[in-house]
């Protein structure tokens, strides 16, 4: 089996590549443009494997993508390449529209041409797993959870671009018979995440005793899933996912941002005690425009149909993640020093 993974130098994509090569015994071709968010060091554990290949390309480049299908003849695609940070989408949405919508379209068109030419047996096996987010569903009140049939109500340029790509993916199934499976997952956390997202940014700022900014009053709730559990779910989709279907993934771990940041402070105080309790560094800052109040996932379809379950509690996963960042300065120092220093992103009107 040979899987073409897009965005495999990113946070979730690298976990998918590592699991496919090291645990599932699958050959991987990782296609990544290497944007600011990519880090090839995340793939060091499989880089020397004969089951792993890297191709640097932009998924919007139609000729390059066609050549990749012709050259590697994949059994399946797991499509993760995207611009992924909501705050960046607020200050500059163009790349989100280009990569997330046009890039997905370009990749699916190439997959469709390739799929149509396959002999019967291989055509039946082929899968296109489109990786998306729970943010497409918009904001929840206090009690509901997102189901696969929850209507789409995206709030940010990021989630709107992902919603558009989900609609395209499902339309390519209905219209052209491309065997697409869509996943909608809650917030991921874990090792190898670029330090602009809430958890790694807070860990690095807290290690350095810098202020820990929290949007609004910190009450926004997210459902957190450990990245390796998400990667395992995506691999299940390759084998068990039904074409034309959507699957929600979540960790049953709803936490407010204030709870998450406070917990990081407590873990760090325990592992690396400093001059004062780190909770004193928490600073409330003006809210993110269009900030969704709450996300929560009903993942019962993935449990039932895929036999998938998250394996790590939020408490354990967060402690493991903090330990990983403490031990992995060589991985994040370059990003922190020369790509993104942790300053505020996502205020409209700021050119970026
Ligand atoms: N991080 C989360 O919490 C989360 C949750 C649910 C779904 N998702 C989705 O999962 C996917 C991966 O997210 P992530 O957090 O790993 O993102 P990431 O930003 O860490 O990685 C994205 C990767 O895509 C690559 N890329 C970007 N534009 C490209 C292009 N035009 N051509 C080729 N490669 C390109 C980047 O170089 C990078 O390696 C995304 O589609 C995202 O929407 C993320």
């Amino acid at each position: 089996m040979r899987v073409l993974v897009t965005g495999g130098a990113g946070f979730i994509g690298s976990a998918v590549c590592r699991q496919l090569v090291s645990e599932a015994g699958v050959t991987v071709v990782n296609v990544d443009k290497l944007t600011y968010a990519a880090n090839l060091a995340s793939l060091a554990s499989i880089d020397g494997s004969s089951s792993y290949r890297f191709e640097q390309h932009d998924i919007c480049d139609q000729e390059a993508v066609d050549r990749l299908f012709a050259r590697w003849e994949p059994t399946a695609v797991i499509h993760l390449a995207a611009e992924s940070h909501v705050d960046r989408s607020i200050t500059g949405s163009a790349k989100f529209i280009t990569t997330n919508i046009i890039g997905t379209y370009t990749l699916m068109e190439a997959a469709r041409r390739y799929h149509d030419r396959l002999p019967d047996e291989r055509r039946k096996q082929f899968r296109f797993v489109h990786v998306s987010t729970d943010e497409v569903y918009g904001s929840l009140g206090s009690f509901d959870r997102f189901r696969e049939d929850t209507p789409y109500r995206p709030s940010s340029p990021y989630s709107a671009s992902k919603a558009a790509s989900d609609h395209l993916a499902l339309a390519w199934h209905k219209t052209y018979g491309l065997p697409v499976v869509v996943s909608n997952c809650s917030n991921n956390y874990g090792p190898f995440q670029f330090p602009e997202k809430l958890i790694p940014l807070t860990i690095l700022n807290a290690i350095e005793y810098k202020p820990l900014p929290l949007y609004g009053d910190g009450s926004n709730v997210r459902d957190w899933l450990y990245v390796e559990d998400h990667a395992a779910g995506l691999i299940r989709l390759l084998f068990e996912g039904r074409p034309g279907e959507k699957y929600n993934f979540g960790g049953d771990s709803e936490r407010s941002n204030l709870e998450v940041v406070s917990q990081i402070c407590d873990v760090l105080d325990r592992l690396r005690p400093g001059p004062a309790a780190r909770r004193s560094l928490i600073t409330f800052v003006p809210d993110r425009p269009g900030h969704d109040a709450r996300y929560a996932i009903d993942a019962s379809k993935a449990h039932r149909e895929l036999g998938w379950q998250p394996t790590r509690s939020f408490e354990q996963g967060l402690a493991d993640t903090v330990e990983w960042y403490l031990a992995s300065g060589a991985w994040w120092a370059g990003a922190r020093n020369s790509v993104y220093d942790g300053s505020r992103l996502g205020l409209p009107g700021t050119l970026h």
Side-chain angles (χ1 to χ4, degrees):
M1 187 166 187
R2 188 180 299 139
V3 179
L4 197 151
V5 176
T6 71
F11 169 48
I12 303 170
S14 65
V16 168
C17 292
R18 292 191 302 270
Q19 278 192 30
L20 281 171
V21 171
S22 309
E23 293 168 33
V26 166
T27 299
V28 165
V29 180
N30 172 13
V31 179
D32 199 298
K33 180 182 175 182
L34 300 184
T35 68
Y36 79 95
N39 192 337
L40 287 174
S42 311
L43 297 149
S45 64
I46 55 168
D47 194 25
S49 166
S50 58
S51 303
Y52 173 75
R53 291 285 181 281
F54 175 66
E55 294 264 12
Q56 184 175 0
H57 292 289
D58 186 336
I59 56 162
C60 301
D61 179 344
Q62 189 199 308
E63 281 176 23
V65 174
D66 276 332
R67 275 199 308 275
L68 287 168
F69 277 95
R71 173 166 188 208
W72 294 106
E73 299 187 330
T75 332
V77 174
I78 305 184
H79 171 38
L80 299 111
E83 289 293 335
S84 69
H85 190 38
V86 175
D87 286 339
R88 287 182 193 267
S89 82
I90 295 169
T91 33
S93 53
K95 285 181 193 161
F96 290 73
I97 306 302
T98 306
T99 288
N100 299 359
I101 304 177
I102 309 285
T104 299
Y105 157 77
T106 306
L107 189 69
M108 280 195 312
E109 273 293 85
R112 176 168 81 89
R113 287 189 286 273
Y114 167 76
H115 175 253
D116 286 350
R117 289 194 306 268
L118 285 174
D120 275 359
E121 217 26 57
R122 290 183 50 206
R123 193 162 54 236
K124 272 189 217 141
Q125 280 175 358
F126 186 77
R127 291 289 179 275
F128 187 107
V129 176
H130 172 68
V131 181
S132 190
T133 164
D134 62 351
E135 302 194 23
V136 296
Y137 298 121
S139 193
L140 285 171
S142 305
F143 302 111
D144 295 354
R145 295 196 295 168
F146 297 132
R147 294 158 38 103
E148 283 78 2
D149 57 4
T150 301
Y152 277 25
R153 285 191 308 147
S155 304
S156 71
Y158 164 68
S159 55
S161 70
K162 293 297 291 186
S165 70
D166 293 10
H167 289 314
L168 290 175
L170 290 169
W172 258 240
H173 170 71
K174 275 193 194 150
T175 305
Y176 303 115
L178 187 69
V180 171
V181 184
V182 174
S183 90
N184 295 97
C185 185
S186 62
N187 280 40
N188 283 216
Y189 71 100
F192 301 107
Q193 186 169 30
F194 187 83
E196 64 186 353
K197 307 275 167 65
L198 178 68
I199 288 183
L201 179 64
T202 301
I203 294 172
L204 298 197
N205 285 341
I207 290 173
E208 295 168 2
Y209 270 89
K210 291 193 168 150
L212 307 178
L214 263 179
Y215 295 161
D217 60 3
S219 65
N220 302 65
V221 170
R222 300 293 180 260
D223 173 4
W224 293 94
L225 179 65
Y226 195 67
V227 64
E228 296 291 339
D229 283 331
H230 183 200
L234 294 174
I235 293 170
R236 293 275 173 108
L237 279 187
L238 270 187
F239 298 101
E240 315 284 345
R242 285 185 291 131
E245 292 288 320
K246 294 169 87 257
Y247 293 84
N248 284 351
F249 291 96
D252 257 332
S253 297
E254 282 183 55
R255 300 285 185 282
S256 72
N257 290 345
L258 180 58
E259 286 174 310
V260 170
V261 170
S262 303
Q263 201 172 321
I264 292 170
C265 291
D266 297 347
V267 174
L268 264 171
D269 286 347
R270 180 165 51 77
L271 293 174
R272 191 171 285 186
R278 286 176 169 88
R279 284 185 185 220
S280 63
L281 301 168
I282 293 175
T283 312
F284 295 97
V285 299
D287 208 354
R288 167 192 278 169
H291 203 178
D292 288 332
R294 175 173 167 261
Y295 303 145
I297 284 275
D298 176 348
S300 53
K301 182 173 174 182
H303 300 165
R304 199 174 55 245
E305 289 195 18
L306 309 174
W308 173 86
Q309 290 284 347
T311 62
R312 208 168 302 216
S313 70
F314 184 68
E315 282 59 39
Q316 184 60 54
L318 193 68
D320 292 349
T321 304
V322 171
E323 285 191 39
W324 185 87
Y325 278 91
L326 280 172
S328 306
W331 183 88
W332 53 258
R336 181 86 167 166
N337 297 334
S338 48
V339 185
Y340 173 59
D341 63 3
S343 51
R344 176 89 198 247
L345 296 167
L347 291 172
T350 322
L351 277 180
H352 155 67

